[in-house]
Amino acid sequence: MLTRPLAGHNWASAFAAVTGTEMVAVFDLGAETRAAFVECWGDIPTYDDYPRMLREAQPDIVCIATRQTMHAEQCEQALAAGVRGILCDKPLATSLEEADRIVEACRRGNVPLAFGLD
């Protein structure tokens, strides 16, 4: 997601290509990655704290492209923050229990879940 051309798993380019969408924030634990994202995409608020990003940016849709070990918790946090849609990159989860948590949380919140394969 650190280049602009549409390509596999470049969700930033995919969202940028959709009229009416706007990237409002980005989360990444790595300072270098956050800086590279801003260099590529412009002055977008960056966070190393996911719950803080959700509180401050209040996104309608989140794209979760972090380590799969973080997906279930991040989906649950996004739903608790009131997002209206989730795109989750592959792999969805590291276990069936985590996958069940994600699907059940989205079902309970009546929030669409898209599983990004490419």
Side-chain angles (χ1 to χ4, degrees), residues 50 54 64 66-80 86 88-89 91-106 108 113:
Y50 184 72
L54 293 170
I64 298 176
T66 52
R67 294 182 53 88
Q68 65 270 22
T69 57
M70 300 170 74
H71 289 181
E73 182 177 5
Q74 287 180 329
C75 284
E76 291 168 338
Q77 291 170 330
L79 292 161
I86 296 175
C88 192
D89 197 13
L92 180 63
T94 59
S95 69
L96 288 175
E97 291 162 340
E98 286 179 3
D100 288 344
R101 280 176 52 197
I102 293 168
V103 171
E104 182 54 32
C106 289
R108 270 194 322 269
L113 170 65

Side-chain angles (χ1 to χ4, degrees), residues 7-100:
H9 297 278
N10 192 342
W11 305 119
S13 288
F15 279 108
V18 176
T19 303
T21 62
E22 172 189 3
M23 286 184 274
V24 297
V26 67
F27 162 79
D28 196 285
L29 291 174
E32 290 177 14
T33 305
R34 292 191 308 272
F37 194 91
V38 168
E39 185 177 320
C40 180
W41 293 101
D43 192 23
I44 296 169
T46 65
Y47 295 85
D48 64 355
D49 182 316
Y50 184 72
R52 181 173 166 226
M53 181 202 70
L54 293 170
R55 280 191 312 276
E56 292 181 4
Q58 299 180 348
D60 292 325
I61 300 169
V62 293
C63 174
I64 298 176
T66 52
R67 294 182 53 88
Q68 65 270 22
T69 57
M70 300 170 74
H71 289 181
E73 182 177 5
Q74 287 180 329
C75 284
E76 291 168 338
Q77 291 170 330
L79 292 161
V83 301
R84 299 184 310 164
I86 296 175
L87 168 63
C88 192
D89 197 13
K90 71 174 186 175
L92 180 63
T94 59
S95 69
L96 288 175
E97 291 162 340
E98 286 179 3
D100 288 344

